[in-house]
């Protein structure tokens, strides 16, 4: 699949639920109104859509939410999607908040997952509870340990926010390095109706990198995972740090992905409302209609997002989380 700008689309971020068991202040409101379950794609419909996309050239699928592991029976879905390797899928991964990993990490490995991203924005229990509105810090750390014990490759995701956790960037990198974990720092995008003052909280990661380089040797790396992170090898720890900079260092020219919501709405870009609805097409059946809708999406996929640090979110942000969607 190629868009109108010649970019090959081989990476899909697929939300399996809009629900989450945390309420991160930069991601969700405390009181959320979730979708009726009947509106979500069934496992069969997700598998049908994913198989079609893989046949058309998708090589990586990342499962997201909300929190993907709160969807009932999700391991069955993961196992089904992992079988698409016989059709050309190279990698099936997921992004999780880690709270379900103490029980599920080994099962995820057993059904075919080899790499996951775990969100952890702070190493302070009190700050974690304030950020997520839930006292689950110790459980997330236990989930990280369980993932390592299950031989899953783990990357920690941290949303960097001025005045919130900007004093922990060095500690997060050292903590991850001591455990052999890669770290990705993410600039928060203006998505969703939340309590955070995004312009005030915006933290350019170039400034963070300069600060980290006073304590660590960061060497530009050729490592890539298919996503937008720019990686640096950390000489002191043997791990990597990735910087995801949608605002301060735009990476749209190399965009290789589309995003599918839990209801089957497909977005070409988080920064625009351009979309196609696939749920009814999948339910009605018909490869030709599915291809026609995808071609319409690709033809209209924008060259770049329209965000800046002070901008309010587009309407589609109601359906996607900051780090998961």
């Amino acid at each position: 699949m190629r868009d109108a700008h010649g970019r090959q689309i081989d990476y899909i971020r697929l939300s399996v639920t809009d629900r989450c068991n945390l309420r991160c202040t930069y991601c969700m409101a405390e009181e959320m109104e979730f979708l009726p379950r009947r509106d979500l794609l069934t496992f069969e419909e997700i598998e049908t859509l994913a198989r079609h996309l893989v046949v058309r050239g998708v090589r990586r699928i990342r499962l997201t939410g909300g929190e993907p592991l709160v969807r009932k029976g999700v391991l069955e879905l993961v196992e089904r999607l992992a079988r698409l390797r016989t059709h050309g899928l190279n990698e099936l991964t997921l992004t999780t908040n880690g709270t379900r990993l103490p029980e599920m990490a080994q099962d995820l490995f057993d059904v075919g997952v080899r790499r996951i991203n775990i969100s952890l924005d702070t190493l302070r229990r009190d700050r974690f509870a304030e950020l997520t509105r839930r006292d689950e810090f110790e459980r997330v750390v236990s989930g990280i340990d369980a993932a390592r014990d299950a031989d899953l490759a783990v990357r920690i995701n941290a949303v960097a926010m001025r005045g919130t956790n900007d004093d922990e960037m060095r500690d997060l990198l050292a903590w991850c390095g001591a455990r052999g974990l890669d770290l990705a720092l993410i600039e928060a995008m203006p998505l969703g109706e939340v309590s955070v003052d995004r312009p005030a909280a915006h933290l350019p990661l170039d400034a963070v990198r300069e600060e980290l380089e006073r304590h660590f040797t960061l060497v530009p790396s050729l490592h890539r995972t298919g996503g937008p992170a720019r990686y640096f090898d950390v000489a002191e720890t043997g791990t990597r740090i990735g910087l995801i900079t949608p605002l301060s260092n735009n990476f749209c020219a190399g965009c290789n992905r589309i995003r599918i919501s839990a209801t089957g709405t497909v977005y070409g870009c988080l920064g625009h409302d351009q979309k196609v609805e696939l749920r009814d097409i999948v339910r009605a059946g018909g490869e030709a209609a599915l291809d026609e809708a995808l071609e319409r999406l690709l033809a209209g996929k924008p060259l770049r997002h329209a965000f800046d640090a002070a901008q309010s979110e587009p309407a589609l942000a109601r359906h996607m989380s900051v780090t998961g969607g």
Side-chain angles (χ1 to χ4, degrees):
M1 298 191 297
R2 289 189 180 275
D3 68 9
H5 309 287
R7 297 172 296 193
Q8 184 174 350
I9 307 303
D10 60 6
Y11 178 27
I12 302 299
R13 295 179 66 90
L14 174 59
S15 174
V16 300
T17 181
D18 64 328
R19 287 168 168 76
C20 188
N21 54 345
L22 301 182
R23 295 291 184 274
C24 296
T25 55
Y26 57 80
C27 184
M28 284 189 173
E30 172 64 43
E31 299 299 327
M32 291 293 297
E33 184 176 342
F34 294 114
L35 295 167
R37 295 185 185 277
R38 65 179 179 275
D39 290 348
L40 304 184
L41 292 174
T42 67
F43 288 173
E44 291 77 12
E45 291 163 350
I46 292 173
E47 182 182 9
T48 296
L49 179 55
R51 181 184 295 108
H52 187 87
L53 290 166
V54 169
V55 170
R56 290 207 53 181
V58 167
R59 295 296 171 255
R60 296 181 180 88
I61 295 176
R62 175 172 295 279
L63 301 181
T64 69
E67 167 50 46
L69 297 184
V70 301
R71 179 154 180 181
K72 185 177 180 180
V74 70
L75 287 171
E76 176 192 345
L77 174 64
V78 175
E79 187 171 19
R80 289 186 184 194
L81 297 181
R83 296 191 192 116
L84 295 177
R85 289 191 176 94
T86 61
H87 296 272
L89 183 68
N90 291 338
E91 187 176 49
L92 177 64
T93 62
L94 62 90
T95 295
T96 173
N97 62 32
T99 57
R100 296 295 178 91
L101 288 176
E103 298 84 15
M104 299 178 72
Q106 187 60 56
D107 289 335
L108 286 168
F109 183 90
D110 292 343
V111 297
V113 175
R114 294 295 177 266
R115 186 168 65 86
I116 62 174
N117 293 350
I118 304 174
S119 299
L120 181 65
D121 303 316
T122 177
L123 298 175
R124 289 174 41 179
R125 179 176 176 176
D126 60 335
R127 183 174 285 176
F128 182 94
E130 182 179 354
L131 271 172
T132 67
R133 302 187 179 100
R134 303 290 187 270
D135 186 11
E136 297 280 3
F137 176 77
E138 298 298 337
R139 185 162 181 79
V140 172
V141 173
S142 295
I144 293 170
D145 291 340
R148 294 171 63 210
D149 291 343
D151 289 330
L152 290 166
V154 175
R155 189 185 82 183
I156 301 299
N157 285 353
V159 178
M161 293 167 283
R162 188 186 305 278
T164 298
N165 63 354
D166 50 346
D167 58 340
E168 290 192 73
M169 300 296 100
R170 177 183 172 186
D171 291 340
L172 276 165
L173 183 54
W175 188 87
C176 289
R179 287 158 179 77
L181 307 175
D182 291 345
L183 170 68
L185 300 179
I186 305 168
E187 290 178 347
M189 295 178 72
L191 301 176
E193 299 176 4
V194 297
S195 60
V196 170
D197 180 350
R198 285 211 168 88
H202 176 61
L203 181 61
L205 291 186
D206 285 346
V208 174
R209 190 186 76 184
E210 291 177 5
E211 171 61 25
L212 290 175
E213 286 178 330
R214 298 174 186 172
H215 309 282
F216 299 93
T217 305
L218 306 184
V219 181
S221 173
L222 296 177
H223 178 72
R224 296 291 184 272
T225 61
R230 294 179 296 128
Y231 282 95
F232 297 82
D233 295 321
V234 185
E236 289 78 6
T237 64
T239 58
R240 301 184 186 94
I241 182 170
L243 304 180
I244 301 178
T245 54
L247 301 182
S248 65
N249 190 352
N250 182 273
F251 45 69
C252 293
C255 183
N256 63 340
R257 57 204 165 276
I258 57 178
R259 299 165 187 267
I260 305 176
S261 78
T263 61
T265 304
V266 188
Y267 298 99
C269 175
L270 278 181
H272 295 267
D273 287 340
Q274 180 248 359
K275 62 188 177 183
V276 297
E277 303 289 350
L278 295 186
R279 183 183 62 200
D280 291 344
I281 295 174
V282 171
R283 289 179 178 177
E287 300 280 322
L290 193 54
D291 277 329
E292 189 277 331
L294 288 170
E295 289 304 324
R296 192 160 16 101
L297 179 85
L298 294 174
K301 182 174 167 62
L303 179 61
R304 58 161 294 160
H305 68 66
F307 289 128
D308 61 44
Q311 188 180 16
S312 61
E313 79 287 347
L316 70 89
R318 295 191 301 269
H319 306 286
M320 299 288 182
S321 65
V322 172
T323 59

